Amino acid sequence: MRIVVTGATGNIGTGVVRALSADPQVEAIVGLARRTAGRPPEKAEYVRADVEADDLVAHFRGADAVVHLAWLFQPTRRPERTWRANVLGSLRVFDAVAAAGVPKLVYSSSVGAYSPREDDEPVTEDWPTHGWPGAAYTREKSYLERYLDAFEHRHPKLDVVRLRPGFVFQRSAATEQRRLFAGPFLPGWLVRPGLIPVVPDIPGLRVQVVHTADLADAVRRVVTRPVRGAFNIATGPVVDPRFVAGLLGARTVPVPAAAVRAAVAAAWRVHAVPASPGLFDAVMHLPVLDTTRAETELDWQPRHDAAATVREFLAGLRVGAGADTAPLAPDRHRLHEISTGVGRRP
């Protein structure tokens, strides 16, 4: 098989390229990326290409599947910019897949595409995907779900797979995710057991996570099997403030969600954090995912539970971990501190 992966050098893309390169059914992988990449795994090559502007049909022609992962999270203050990259860029990918005659399209959607649910009953893949209207990320994910509904009707012979994962973590993406969501003022060394005495217990806040390697394994399985449709991908247990407090050896203190949102909004207004208050609202309204379909039809089981996944992310955050691709470049200032002993914390 020859597989093309867009967004191949990011958090999910690096894991997917590794997983595909280890599969004997896959002979060649072409990883498309906007920015310079490091050394690819065996059987893979990186090619510079932008889904917004470049000729994608030429890259896709002859592929057995295209895995579309390319996504621009920032700048959240310019939603028209992310709309062009994420929505219009994705439409170009989907249409190029059809024009090139590729038999399978695998698209990484998100739990953020789902409509809110007021209780914690897990939702299956038929739950509505209208997203949360107040955040660009969830609006964009929801819009693409609608487009794919029509796209599948226009191309009934093309197998379309939508993966809807929870929050995706790995050690080497810790610095990237800090830059994207927390900004430069979060001291990574602080997220260490014993140094944070309390964790805000925000009513209703709970999310699901999945390790990059486990999501990549799900991608590998849908690429190499005759499946189509949507699959929820997440590991357990559900992560809430008490769960995080347990990992950090901290206690929880009740804090109203409205107070936290006000703090996020204030920090957003003064450009102290890149994550908008609308994104906080979206996270507060995410449903819990039922992963039964992936477990039964793909024989998929996560190798990392939520505790291992979050611990690995926090460990990477403490040392400014990264990888040799531009999106995952490490926090070199922090690595210098660690190597020289400057700024070392207990």
Side-chain angles (χ1 to χ4, degrees):
M1 301 182 72
R2 177 179 179 267
I3 313 299
V4 179
V5 180
T6 72
T9 60
N11 176 22
I12 301 175
T14 52
V16 167
V17 172
R18 285 195 300 267
L20 291 175
S21 68
D23 193 308
Q25 298 178 78
V26 178
E27 295 181 358
I29 306 146
V30 177
L32 305 185
R34 289 187 300 116
R35 291 178 281 175
T36 304
R39 183 181 179 87
E42 185 182 357
K43 297 191 287 190
E45 65 171 322
Y46 288 141
V47 176
R48 187 180 295 242
D50 188 340
V51 299
E52 288 186 73
D54 292 331
D55 177 14
L56 301 175
V57 175
H59 294 299
F60 294 170
R61 193 170 284 119
D64 294 284
V66 168
V67 180
H68 179 42
L69 309 173
W71 197 266
L72 188 66
F73 286 95
Q74 297 290 349
T76 53
R77 298 175 190 279
R78 295 177 54 202
E80 75 285 354
R81 175 70 189 92
T82 58
W83 182 270
R84 288 198 304 270
N86 298 332
V87 174
L88 301 186
S90 292
L91 302 193
R92 294 186 78 248
V93 170
F94 301 156
D95 292 341
V97 166
V102 180
K104 176 169 283 188
L105 166 65
V106 180
Y107 163 61
S108 178
S109 185
S110 169
V111 62
Y114 279 120
S115 301
R117 179 161 183 152
E118 297 303 321
D119 56 35
D120 287 341
E121 185 70 22
V123 302
T124 55
E125 289 81 0
D126 58 357
W127 188 254
T129 51
H130 301 306
W132 176 257
Y137 176 81
T138 46
R139 288 195 303 268
E140 291 161 4
K141 288 295 187 182
S142 176
Y143 185 92
L144 289 175
E145 292 275 356
R146 299 288 72 70
Y147 186 87
L148 283 176
D149 290 342
F151 181 84
E152 287 181 304
H153 282 290
R154 294 198 305 271
H155 305 284
K157 294 184 179 180
L158 200 163
D159 290 335
V160 177
V161 178
R162 315 178 202 192
L163 296 177
R164 297 174 183 150
F167 289 71
V168 186
F169 293 121
Q170 64 174 329
R171 178 187 173 89
S172 61
T175 296
E176 179 202 38
Q177 291 172 325
R178 190 205 68 193
R179 290 192 297 253
L180 291 175
F181 302 110
F185 302 110
L186 173 67
W189 58 265
L190 188 62
V191 287
R192 168 188 310 274
L195 291 186
I196 296 180
V198 296
V199 171
D201 189 357
I202 306 168
L205 176 61
R206 78 283 184 276
V207 299
Q208 286 168 290
V209 302
V210 62
H211 194 284
T212 298
D214 290 326
L215 175 56
D217 181 57
V219 173
R220 180 188 65 81
R221 290 170 186 268
V222 300
V223 162
T224 57
R225 297 183 182 209
V227 296
R228 63 194 321 181
F231 293 89
N232 293 336
I233 305 294
T235 192
V238 173
V239 176
D240 60 15
R242 296 188 179 188
F243 180 93
V244 175
L247 294 182
L248 295 174
R251 61 187 179 87
T252 57
V253 175
V255 178
V260 176
R261 190 194 189 281
V264 171
W268 163 263
R269 283 194 298 270
V270 299
H271 292 245
V273 296
S276 70
L279 189 59
F280 174 80
D281 294 336
V283 171
M284 291 295 297
H285 288 86
L286 294 177
V288 175
L289 298 175
D290 182 322
T291 60
T292 302
R293 187 181 185 215
E295 294 164 7
T296 56
E297 295 188 28
L298 301 178
D299 300 318
W300 176 83
Q301 288 289 337
R303 292 187 294 110
H304 306 77
D305 65 9
T309 302
V310 176
R311 282 197 187 100
E312 181 178 318
F313 168 72
L314 294 177
L317 199 61
R318 287 195 290 271
V319 300
D324 63 350
T325 65
L328 301 181
D331 187 338
R332 301 196 182 279
H333 173 70
R334 178 62 184 138
L335 291 179
H336 173 73
E337 285 186 346
I338 293 168
S339 65
T340 60
V342 176
R344 189 184 296 272
R345 298 298 192 276

